[in-house]
Amino acid sequence: MTSHDIFAAMRARTVAALREILPELPEDAFAKVQTEPPRDPAHGDMATNGAMVVAKAARMPPPKLAAQLAEKLAALPEVAEAAPAGPGFVNLRLKEDHLRALVPAVLGTGEAFGDGAAGRGVRVNVEYVSANPTGPMHVGHCRGAVVGDALAGLLAKAGYDVTREYYVNDAGAQVLALAYAAYWRYLQALGTTMTEEHYAQSVPGGLQYRGEYLVPVGAALQERHGDALAVKDGVYDYAAAGPDVWLDVVRDTTVHMMMEAIREDLAALGVRHDVFVSEAQLVRDGKLEQAEALLAAKELIYTGVLEPPKGKTPDDWEPRPQQLFRATQFGDEVDRPLRKSDGSGTYFANDIANHLHKIERGFAELVHVWGADHGGYVKRMTAAVAALSERRVTLDVVLTQIVHVMKNGEPVRMSKRAGTYVTLRDLIEEVGKDAVRFTMLTRKADAQMEFDLDKVVEQSRDNPVFYVQYAHARCRSVLRQAGDPAVAELAGAPVGLLADPAEMALIRRMAAWPRTVEAAAAAREPHRIAFFLQDLAADFHVLWNRGRDDATLRFIRADEPEATRARLALVAATAVVLRSGLAVMGVEPVEEMR
């Protein structure tokens, strides 16, 4: 085996053995063969389902084929034992020398250890955050930002060609309401005597955004335009200056400043995007009309009347003929309208335009990270992508559940900046970027979570952020104590001297890192990286503690220079894998704990 991914290498060995046993089978018969860590470590180092998934095509009982496969695999030089099990599995135990060889391999590869080829360079667009530019980023946005950024890093690690995208929702009613709110702050900057409630009564839909974060926008408008935006027909009259005088300028300025603030918040969290796509610009470019023309050419648009919504019928609902997309042909429950009564595009229609834009740029896979409240939107968007691309492009949606911020056992509800919710910047200032990022990935994205501000900064085993960072800091402490030996020196260490069960357990854990990357990327589940790192840290801490209790297992022993070098190599390899995993999560490894 030449691959550092021992599971991928053994899968290749397994398929080769099955081909020898069943030379008449076509290549696609082996497509579902897998080699994975067994659920119970007592069963060995890995297990393969090869016999079970091929048996039907081979017209053989799975246990019989498993016995033949086990015999073939047992003859491999790296295999210590191969035994059929259950309905058609084969459990494998590798020779310890083969596992030990992973230590110099990791040192030679560095943090690129775990880089995979499963993505095959496929172009994938990961869209995440995409918060409306109507205010500061809050905790709800934070989880999606971290999950999306880590998922993009994970897919890149697995060999995909990844583009990180932010879709700016700068069209529609919410942005219009934001412009009216910003205009009020502009009038305040001019010194208006009008009351806020009087202004709110004159605004369509009322004054929806009252946060202090718009005060700098009003000041900027006043500085750039003086009173020009409050003047109509030469009359200095705040009430007389209608939206036709100021709306476009105020809206564009406000969106620009809000997006600058959002970029700053994301940068503070270590989140980056390659592309920012404007919804308003896509509308101006006629992308919605292009999408409609494309769907119409496929006879996927028709004029029809929708059934009333299930449950209580809204007061504004009316049975009117509408332009409908045949979403039901692609798995949705109902066909979907594309135009509002005023002729403008529906929210869904504008999203179709966005996805056509992605497809036209040549992406083979699209991944979105959305809040769980958008779960009902998944089927219609999946249907649209399938229709636009003739099912060539896939869409995966990762849903993130709500986060409850806690302190002293009580929910934290108020923000210094927004007044009604906890902002992302507040959270970062409280506990730091790395703690925020790691903690957000300690649970599956679609599971609700409590972000306990006290526990996140607690220095204990119960705090996964501390536990993993402490493992890396301990590795670095050991290596510094040894004079930071060169990688080349450690790569030639006599790793055959690593024989204690705790040492072998640590090596086995590291061996699973490439497989973990591949499986987590395929499942779109970056939280698996956090889980792996916690397990790796636990294995290292066990070995550290063994050395405290048994002097013969200490990492550095002056009377045993060769054993010391072997153990330092193991420590250095552990640090490499920890850094490799933390890099995927966007978390900086620490050199020492204060």
Side-chain angles (χ1 to χ4, degrees):
M1 293 184 187
T2 57
S3 171
H4 299 328
D5 183 347
I6 63 173
F7 292 91
M10 186 55 72
R11 181 194 180 277
R13 295 279 206 178
T14 301
V15 170
L18 286 168
R19 283 201 194 99
E20 287 184 22
I21 298 169
L22 305 163
E24 72 281 2
L25 289 189
E27 187 64 29
D28 59 4
F30 307 106
K32 295 183 179 180
V33 173
Q34 294 181 341
T35 302
E36 300 176 309
R39 292 182 180 178
D40 184 352
H43 294 160
D45 296 314
M46 53 183 66
T48 179
N49 65 351
M52 194 160 56
V53 299
V54 171
K56 185 176 180 180
R59 298 182 180 179
M60 287 180 65
K64 181 179 179 181
L65 182 54
Q68 293 184 35
L69 177 60
E71 185 178 350
K72 287 275 187 185
L73 296 179
L76 295 175
E78 66 270 29
V79 175
E81 181 184 356
F89 288 98
V90 175
N91 292 333
L92 300 161
R93 194 175 304 279
L94 301 181
K95 291 178 180 176
E96 291 192 344
D97 280 346
H98 179 71
L99 290 166
R100 292 186 189 103
L102 186 73
V103 173
V106 171
L107 294 175
T109 307
E111 289 165 38
F113 178 64
D115 287 5
R120 305 179 308 282
V122 170
R123 295 192 64 206
V124 57
N125 180 292
V126 185
E127 182 191 306
Y128 54 104
V129 187
S130 298
N132 294 332
T134 53
M137 303 252 334
H138 56 68
V139 173
H141 301 134
C142 175
R143 192 174 192 186
V146 171
V147 169
D149 203 51
L151 179 54
L154 172 61
L155 291 171
K157 183 80 172 173
Y160 290 86
D161 179 3
V162 179
T163 295
R164 303 161 185 246
E165 188 159 312
Y166 188 119
Y167 180 55
V168 183
N169 299 118
D170 54 357
Q174 285 185 307
V175 171
L176 183 62
L178 180 72
Y180 275 101
Y183 189 68
W184 166 245
R185 297 300 184 181
Y186 164 68
L187 295 181
Q188 284 186 313
L190 288 175
T192 182
T193 58
M194 186 190 307
T195 67
E196 183 174 308
E197 287 310 310
H198 177 67
Y199 178 76
Q201 291 170 8
S202 68
V203 172
L207 190 58
Q208 296 181 31
Y209 299 103
R210 303 191 185 217
E212 294 293 318
Y213 56 85
L214 287 175
V215 171
V217 179
L221 288 166
Q222 186 272 334
E223 183 179 344
R224 295 174 193 174
H225 302 283
D227 64 2
L229 302 180
V231 174
K232 185 177 182 182
D233 299 329
V235 179
Y236 185 66
D237 181 349
Y238 302 137
D244 58 312
V245 173
W246 56 260
L247 182 58
D248 287 346
V249 170
V250 171
R251 179 169 50 201
D252 291 350
T253 300
T254 307
V255 168
H256 175 76
M257 291 186 67
M258 288 294 97
M259 284 306 303
E260 284 297 305
I262 286 172
R263 287 175 192 255
E264 289 175 6
D265 285 347
L266 292 174
L269 187 59
V271 171
R272 68 178 181 85
H273 291 85
D274 302 310
V275 180
F276 286 79
V277 174
S278 161
E279 177 184 6
Q281 188 61 50
L282 291 180
V283 172
R284 287 193 292 269
D285 290 346
K287 194 60 65 178
L288 172 54
E289 287 75 17
Q290 290 178 34
E292 286 176 327
L294 180 61
L295 294 174
K298 300 174 186 290
E299 299 184 348
L300 294 174
I301 292 180
Y302 69 101
T303 301
V305 178
L306 287 175
E307 294 291 322
K310 294 179 182 178
K312 185 179 179 180
T313 303
D315 294 335
D316 61 352
W317 184 83
E318 57 176 328
R320 63 181 180 86
Q322 296 182 82
Q323 196 177 28
L324 303 176
F325 162 57
R326 297 185 188 276
T328 51
Q329 288 192 15
F330 300 89
D332 200 3
E333 286 89 356
V334 296
D335 292 339
R336 303 292 179 178
L338 299 179
R339 295 283 178 175
K340 301 176 186 176
S341 57
D342 64 2
S344 64
T346 60
Y347 185 83
F348 174 58
N350 285 359
D351 265 354
I352 290 179
N354 173 34
H355 286 77
L356 176 60
H357 184 233
K358 295 179 194 296
I359 292 167
E360 288 177 340
R361 285 182 286 153
F363 294 106
E365 298 182 17
L366 308 179
V367 179
H368 286 314
V369 180
W370 291 347
D373 56 334
H374 288 75
Y377 205 69
V378 174
K379 281 190 176 180
R380 74 188 72 176
M381 209 65 255
T382 303
V385 170
L388 290 168
S389 69
E390 296 181 340
R391 304 185 190 273
R392 292 191 309 272
V393 177
T394 62
L395 171 64
D396 289 326
V397 177
V398 177
L399 298 176
T400 61
Q401 271 288 0
I402 194 167
V403 178
H404 301 283
V405 180
M406 309 290 290
K407 188 175 180 65
N408 300 322
E410 298 291 331
V412 178
R413 301 188 186 281
M414 303 300 287
S415 162
K416 302 171 200 169
R417 294 171 64 198
T420 55
Y421 51 79
V422 180
T423 67
L424 170 58
R425 191 59 67 93
D426 292 337
L427 199 61
I428 294 171
E429 289 174 358
E430 184 78 18
V431 300
K433 167 185 79 74
D434 289 334
V436 172
R437 289 188 67 116
F438 198 109
T439 303
M440 287 291 176
L441 293 168
T442 53
R443 296 204 68 187
K444 192 175 180 181
D446 62 0
Q448 290 195 19
M449 75 177 298
E450 287 187 355
F451 191 106
D452 191 315
L453 295 171
D454 300 313
K455 287 186 178 179
V456 167
V457 295
E458 185 179 90
Q459 294 195 348
S460 76
R461 180 173 180 169
D462 295 331
N463 177 5
V465 184
F466 171 79
Y467 198 58
V468 172
Q469 291 282 34
Y470 193 30
H472 184 266
R474 274 182 159 176
C475 288
R476 291 294 304 132
S477 174
V478 171
L479 294 169
R480 282 195 301 271
Q481 187 180 349
D484 263 332
V487 169
E489 178 186 348
L490 296 180
V495 292
L497 297 176
L498 301 172
D500 187 82
E503 293 170 335
M504 295 308 302
L506 186 56
I507 293 172
R508 286 184 169 92
R509 185 75 65 189
M510 286 191 285
W513 173 231
R515 168 63 188 163
T516 300
V517 170
E518 180 181 339
R524 313 300 199 226
E525 292 183 343
H527 72 276
R528 295 193 191 190
I529 306 305
F531 289 4
F532 172 84
L533 291 178
Q534 290 175 72
D535 290 338
L536 180 62
D539 289 336
F540 179 77
H541 290 310
V542 165
L543 183 56
W544 173 283
N545 290 327
R546 288 286 303 276
R548 292 179 60 184
D549 299 334
D550 181 352
T552 64
L553 290 176
R554 288 177 184 167
F555 296 121
I556 301 174
R557 292 194 60 186
D559 59 332
E560 292 189 5
E562 290 300 274
T564 295
R565 200 153 63 99
R567 286 171 181 159
L568 290 175
L570 178 59
V571 171
T574 303
V576 165
V577 180
L578 285 168
R579 288 195 297 272
S580 181
L582 289 170
V584 170
M585 298 176 71
V587 175
E588 294 290 331
V590 298
E591 288 289 304
E592 55 186 330
M593 303 298 286
R594 293 181 176 85

